[in-house]
């Protein structure tokens, strides 16, 4: 009997795909892949391969690993395009694997370290979240995720580097052609290490910046701002955005509001409203969830929000409703070449 192409309920043909059972096995094995990639990142294997192929035994010696164990990790990841092995004793880097090298400007090594050292274990409690509504991280750590992070200077620094890594690879694409609304003073609320604020102000010499974040986060921020040559133009201010924020003409919040439930977001926006200069504008850099089954990063990031925080990813209507409930009016949503958008709003007063 001739097999027919699978069809969706509307009669259109579905694309050829592996059997559902194989697809499911690949998905279920994801935790093994992420841990193997963590080993590669932690040992900085990709950086050791930047100058060309080398023997696995030599690579293991450079990285402080047992040759046979590393050989098996490499062999498992090579079919996924992370490495190429001309023969079983040699290994070379691929463009995909090179994203874990510290020698690349778009390196995701710190992202791998951050996710695996802070996100991975709490996700084992996500069933608890679904049953109770309590974030898995809070249940696992015994305190809210960000309280756990800032209590450990090493984790706070790792979070800064991880967030910078997430932005680094998309920085030029995401910000290309975008210009902030008018205003002399730009405050980045929850600005982490200052990477985004430095990028936004780099071509705007007439503007000054304020980087605002928790005291535990700021040591790394001062260092990064100096490296960017922006120390004379960006003031670093410590504080809690639930209490108050500095006065400014433009407020930037990048991947902040998705960490919090609606009531908490309103409190943050009210802090902005109380301190904002007349005519101040708000620029939120976040994902906007598209409708339907369309693939989009926000739909996976929402799992992170579910497990680690009280927040969520929002669609356009939810962003508009959130701003309105805090006294802001949504002006426009500017998509970028990546999965983030610039969501602009102004005070409704």
């Amino acid at each position: 009997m001739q097999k027919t192409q699978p069809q969706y309920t509307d009669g259109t043909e579905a694309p050829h795909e592996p059997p559902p059972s194989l697809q499911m096995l690949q998905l279920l094995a994801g935790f093994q892949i992420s841990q193997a990639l963590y080993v590669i990142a932690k040992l900085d294997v990709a950086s050791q391969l930047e100058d060309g192929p080398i023997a696995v035994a030599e690579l293991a010696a450079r990285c402080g690993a047992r040759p046979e164990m590393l050989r098996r990790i490499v062999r498992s990841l090579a079919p996924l395009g992370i490495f190429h092995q001309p023969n079983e004793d040699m290994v070379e880097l691929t463009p995909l694997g090179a994203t874990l090298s510290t020698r690349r400007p778009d390196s995701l090594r710190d992202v791998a370290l951050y996710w695996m050292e802070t996100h991975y274990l709490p996700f084992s409690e996500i069933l608890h979240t679904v049953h109770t509504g309590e974030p898995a991280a809070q249940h696992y750590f015994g305190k809210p995720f960000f309280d756990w992070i800032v209590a450990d200077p090493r984790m706070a620094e790792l979070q800064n580097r991880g967030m910078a890594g997430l932005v680094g690879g998309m920085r030029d694409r995401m910000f290309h052609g975008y210009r902030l609304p008018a205003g002399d003073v730009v405050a980045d609320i929850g600005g982490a290490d200052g990477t985004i604020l430095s990028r936004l102000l780099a071509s705007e010499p007439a503007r000054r910046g304020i980087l605002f974040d928790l005291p535990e986060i700021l040591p790394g921020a001062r260092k990064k701002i100096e490296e960017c040559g922006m120390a004379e133009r960006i003031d670093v201010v410590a504080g809690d955005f639930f209490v108050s924020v500095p006065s400014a003409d433009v407020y930037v919040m990048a991947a902040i509001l998705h960490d919090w439930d609606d009531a908490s977001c309103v409190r943050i926006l009210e802090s902005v409203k109380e301190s904002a200069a007349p005519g101040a504008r708000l620029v939120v850099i976040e994902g906007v969830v598209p409708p339907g089954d369309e693939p989009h990063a926000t739909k996976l990031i929402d799992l992170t929000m579910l497990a680690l925080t009280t927040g969520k990813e929002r669609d356009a209507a939810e962003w508009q409703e959130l701003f309105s409930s805090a006294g802001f009016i949504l002006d426009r949503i500017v998509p970028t070449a990546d999965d983030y958008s610039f969501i602009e709003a102004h005070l409704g007063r």
Side-chain angles (χ1 to χ4, degrees):
M1 179 184 294
Q2 183 178 0
K3 293 184 178 181
T4 59
Q5 176 70 9
Q7 292 186 332
Y8 293 123
T9 55
D10 62 1
T12 59
E13 289 188 350
H16 289 282
E17 295 176 334
S21 58
L22 179 57
Q23 294 180 59
M24 182 56 68
L25 284 173
Q26 291 171 338
L27 292 172
L28 290 171
F31 75 98
Q32 299 176 86
I33 301 303
S34 63
Q35 283 296 296
L37 290 170
Y38 172 70
V39 170
I40 297 303
K42 191 71 173 179
L43 297 180
D44 204 14
V45 169
S47 300
Q48 302 297 329
L49 292 169
E50 284 279 14
D51 295 326
I54 59 175
V56 173
E58 181 181 349
L59 179 63
R62 292 184 186 183
C63 298
R66 290 178 177 267
E68 180 60 21
M69 304 299 105
L70 184 59
R71 185 190 313 275
R72 291 164 66 182
I73 294 281
V74 167
R75 182 177 63 187
S76 297
L77 293 175
L80 302 178
I82 309 300
F83 302 110
H84 172 61
Q85 291 194 270
N87 59 63
E88 64 178 13
D89 294 320
M90 296 294 292
V91 58
E92 63 180 328
L93 200 58
T94 66
L96 180 58
T99 62
L100 294 179
S101 167
T102 57
R103 294 164 63 179
R104 301 295 178 105
D106 60 348
S107 173
L108 294 175
R109 178 177 183 253
D110 286 329
V111 177
L113 300 181
Y114 174 58
W115 281 358
M116 292 303 103
E117 294 182 18
T118 64
H119 291 34
Y120 185 81
L121 292 176
F123 256 88
S124 66
E125 299 289 347
I126 197 168
L127 181 61
H128 171 82
T129 301
V130 176
H131 279 313
T132 68
E134 180 187 28
Q138 183 165 324
H139 181 66
Y140 184 86
F141 293 126
K143 61 179 69 175
F145 178 70
F146 292 116
D147 291 353
W148 177 77
I149 287 286
V150 300
D152 184 341
R154 188 183 76 85
M155 286 301 175
E157 172 61 19
L158 179 59
Q159 178 171 269
N160 270 354
R161 299 200 321 264
M163 292 299 99
L166 282 170
V167 175
M170 63 183 72
R171 188 180 306 149
D172 291 334
R173 301 189 305 270
M174 186 171 76
F175 293 102
H176 180 71
Y178 179 77
R179 181 182 174 87
L180 288 168
D184 295 332
V185 179
V186 180
D188 190 352
I189 306 303
D193 73 345
T195 296
I196 288 177
L197 183 59
S198 296
R199 175 62 178 80
L200 286 169
L201 297 185
S203 60
E204 305 252 20
R207 302 202 205 207
R208 294 190 58 81
I210 301 172
L211 179 71
F212 182 82
D213 214 318
L214 294 169
E216 297 87 348
I217 300 297
L218 295 184
R222 292 187 176 93
K223 179 181 177 182
K224 184 67 175 182
I225 289 170
E226 289 178 1
E227 290 175 357
C228 294
M230 302 292 284
E232 298 298 318
R233 295 179 52 203
I234 296 178
D235 296 326
V236 177
V237 179
D240 181 345
F241 51 45
F242 286 113
V243 178
S244 66
V245 300
S247 177
D249 303 301
V250 180
Y251 289 89
V252 174
M253 281 188 278
I256 297 297
L257 296 180
H258 76 161
D259 289 332
W260 304 96
D261 58 78
D262 288 351
S264 298
C265 288
V266 169
R267 286 171 55 200
I268 297 169
L269 292 171
E270 286 177 344
S271 294
V272 171
K273 184 166 59 176
E274 291 169 3
S275 300
R281 300 288 294 278
L282 174 66
V283 179
V284 171
I285 305 174
E286 295 266 11
V288 178
V289 182
D293 294 338
E294 175 187 339
H296 197 269
T298 52
K299 295 177 181 180
L300 288 178
I301 295 171
D302 200 40
L303 286 178
T304 303
M305 299 301 103
L306 181 71
L308 267 61
T309 74
T310 62
K312 63 180 182 179
E313 299 299 308
R314 296 173 171 91
D315 61 27
E318 288 173 316
W319 281 116
Q320 184 171 22
E321 182 178 352
L322 177 62
F323 289 147
S324 178
S325 62
F328 286 81
I329 296 174
L330 177 66
D331 293 323
R332 64 173 184 158
I333 297 176
V334 184
T336 74
D338 290 282
D339 292 310
Y340 287 91
S341 294
F342 294 97
I343 310 170
E344 297 181 358
H346 70 275
L347 280 172
R349 65 189 181 197

